[in-house]
Amino acid sequence: KQWYQRRVRGHPLGRFSAKKSDFWPYFRVKDIFRFIFMFLALLFLVFFFPQIIRDVENYKEANPLVTPAHIKPEWYFLFAYTILRCIPNKAARVAGIFRALRVLALFPLGRKKTSTRLSYRLVFFC
């Protein structure tokens, strides 16, 4: 009787439940077998049918002088991409990028509002 009372007191539902199943070994072993199966299926595809995963664009011969039409930078890199494409000299390209970034860094200083401090304008851009 004491064993049963300790068992009831320690169980979250307040009584012993025969319907519960342990997480180990049933679910863990099943998950391990599923992982091994999926890993072996991926290895089978990679080693025996590698063309299924690859892109058709990778088989075309590359032209280093022309940027492919499907390559477009994100909107926040468009200014740098344009500078790099329009300047032929590599050193001038780098200098052009730094000039553009310097102009962007000077924007917070251009506002003529006398009520805010310079340190506030540098941090919060207003």
Side-chain angles (χ1 to χ4, degrees), residues 28 33 94 110:
R28 283 286 181 219
F33 279 128
V94 174

Side-chain angles (χ1 to χ4, degrees), residues 1-2 37 40 46-47 53-54 56 59 63 70 82 105-106 114 118-119 122:
K1 188 171 184 173
Q2 289 177 349
F37 175 76
L40 290 175
V46 166
F47 288 118
I53 300 171
R54 294 186 184 154
V56 179
Y59 293 111
N63 185 358
H70 68 279
T82 306
L106 292 176
T114 58
L118 177 63
S119 61
L122 286 176

Side-chain angles (χ1 to χ4, degrees), residues 100-118:
L101 291 175
R102 187 175 57 202
V103 167
L104 287 175
L106 292 176
F107 270 125
L109 300 175
R111 187 168 177 199
K112 300 291 186 203
K113 189 174 181 184
T114 58
S115 64
T116 57
R117 297 186 320 258
L118 177 63

Side-chain angles (χ1 to χ4, degrees), residues 49-90:
F49 301 104
Q51 286 78 17
I52 292 176
I53 300 171
R54 294 186 184 154
D55 190 16
V56 179
E57 290 288 327
N58 293 335
Y59 293 111
K60 294 181 180 176
E61 189 173 339
N63 185 358
L65 300 176
V66 177
T67 303
H70 68 279
I71 295 178
K72 298 287 184 210
E74 294 291 334
W75 63 269
Y76 43 84
F77 286 131
L78 280 175
F79 76 97
Y81 183 72
T82 306
I83 291 170
L84 291 175
R85 288 193 65 180
C86 71
I87 300 175
N89 187 1
K90 287 185 181 182

Side-chain angles (χ1 to χ4, degrees), residues 22-39:
D22 291 331
F23 201 67
W24 177 262
Y26 305 111
F27 294 107
R28 283 286 181 219
V29 171
K30 189 167 57 169
D31 290 342
I32 290 170
F33 279 128
R34 286 180 183 169
F35 176 76
I36 290 172
F37 175 76
M38 293 301 291
F39 187 70

